[in-house]
Amino acid sequence: MSDQLKGLLITMMGVLFVVPDSLFIRLIDVPPLEVSFWRGLSTGLLVLVYVMMTTGARSVGAALRGGPYAYVYLIAMSGTGILFTLAVSHTSVANVVFIIASMPVFAAILSFVWMGEAMSRRMMVTMIAVFAGLGIITYGSGETHGASLKGDLLAVCVSFVFAVALTAARRVRTVSMVPMLPVAYLVSALCLSPFVLPVQLEASQYSLVALHGLFIGISSVGLALGPRYIPSAEVALLILLESVLAPLLVWFALGEDPGAYALVGGAVVISALGLSNLVVLMRKRPKADPIGRAAP
């Protein structure tokens, strides 16, 4: 199997396994913070087992010794899971995933400010289109049942904090941040434990919690490993599938209508990002991204 095909298959697996994330959050019948607690605990333990089996405890220690940027990554990744659960709990799934799709724009802005990287004309045009799409989505939150500006703002925070994590990971390229993922998940669960104990989870919900953790664990590993073999522009195009499939899955399973504003705004965001990445692929084939991406 070629590296290209291997990267596509692994990344696609990661994308498909993260699609039901929002649906699990809807189905697990406990307060949002407890959902986030179980999500962090179950996923963290599963990914930790994988890391220990593949790279060993030394890799975790090496990641923890990666310097201040490694800890920025750790804190940011711990926060994204909590913010994502809260966002899904306060607005429509369509609004959340379409807004989070804007993460590459925030990453470009942070790279410009934080790392002094030049902003291309292509990215500037993309940013204008993406922010226009976000404006449509947030404007429609007052008109769409189940959507709210509060949840939309939380989704913007997820997108921004996730961009902070990926930008920090780029500052420590010499050390893989993959072993830091289970630590981040477990830290988020530890931080939430004072607010959720004693837990309110019924016995009938344990299977959902276990499946949720399994799906996010597989997705985290796939989205961390896949980008090692294919260009980041291809990864970005594949990840956009989640933004399309997640609201469709929740719409089909629970009848949650995204609303016209979310569909129009989401189409603007996804089209702008998709075209931007297609331009990159058409101009030249960039090197594979060694950092990867995990679920928020």
Side-chain angles (χ1 to χ4, degrees):
M1 185 183 297
S2 67
D3 282 352
Q4 174 74 12
L5 180 57
K6 184 188 298 184
L8 287 172
L9 291 176
I10 294 174
T11 305
M12 181 63 72
M13 177 190 70
V15 170
L16 292 178
F17 271 87
V18 80
V19 167
D21 191 4
S22 303
L23 179 61
F24 278 115
I25 293 173
R26 285 279 190 268
L27 292 175
I28 298 174
D29 189 23
V30 292
L33 288 181
E34 190 168 335
V35 174
S36 189
F37 167 79
W38 287 113
R39 184 180 185 272
L41 181 63
S42 57
T43 304
L45 291 174
L46 287 169
V47 179
L48 183 62
V49 170
Y50 169 80
V51 169
M52 291 298 182
M53 291 176 60
T54 55
T55 58
R58 290 184 178 180
S59 64
V60 179
L64 290 171
R65 293 190 298 272
Y69 291 113
Y71 285 92
V72 171
Y73 177 86
L74 170 63
I75 294 169
M77 288 303 298
S78 298
T80 54
I82 300 171
L83 290 169
F84 178 76
T85 304
L86 291 173
V88 171
S89 302
H90 286 88
T91 192
S92 69
V93 169
N95 281 26
V96 173
V97 295
F98 290 148
I99 291 171
I100 292 176
S102 67
M103 186 272 297
V105 169
F106 288 109
I109 294 172
L110 286 170
S111 295
F112 173 74
V113 174
W114 199 353
M115 302 176 67
E117 294 184 353
M119 188 84 67
S120 67
R121 183 179 302 176
R122 171 188 59 83
M123 182 52 70
M124 290 180 183
V125 173
T126 303
M127 286 170 54
I128 293 171
V130 166
F131 286 131
L134 295 181
I136 295 171
I137 294 170
T138 55
Y139 177 79
S141 291
E143 308 290 332
T144 305
H145 176 70
S148 75
L149 182 59
K150 179 181 179 180
D152 292 350
L153 292 175
L154 284 167
V156 171
C157 289
V158 176
S159 186
F160 177 78
V161 174
F162 200 22
V164 169
L166 295 187
T167 307
R170 293 182 62 204
R171 298 298 297 263
V172 284
R173 284 184 179 274
T174 56
V175 180
S176 172
M177 287 294 100
V178 174
M180 192 72 92
L181 288 175
V183 181
Y185 284 122
L186 292 173
V187 165
S188 69
L190 180 64
C191 291
L192 289 172
S193 59
F195 304 99
V196 302
L197 297 176
V199 297
Q200 305 176 43
L201 192 68
E202 296 181 1
S204 59
Q205 299 264 293
Y206 282 117
S207 58
L208 277 176
V209 167
L211 276 175
H212 192 193
L214 179 63
F215 271 61
I216 302 304
I218 294 174
S219 172
S220 297
V221 172
L223 291 173
L225 295 179
R228 295 183 177 185
Y229 303 100
I230 56 176
S232 57
E234 290 187 16
V235 174
L237 286 173
L238 290 173
I239 288 172
L240 288 178
L241 286 174
E242 187 221 346
S243 302
V244 176
L245 297 177
L248 290 178
L249 177 62
V250 175
W251 195 357
F252 175 78
L254 302 178
E256 183 178 298
D257 187 351
Y261 286 101
L263 292 176
V264 172
V268 172
V269 171
I270 292 172
S271 298
L273 293 169
L275 288 172
S276 179
N277 286 292
L278 281 174
V279 168
V280 173
L281 288 173
M282 290 173 65
R283 286 178 177 173
K284 62 179 181 179
R285 197 173 188 80
K287 295 180 181 179
D289 186 349
I291 296 171
R293 175 188 185 273

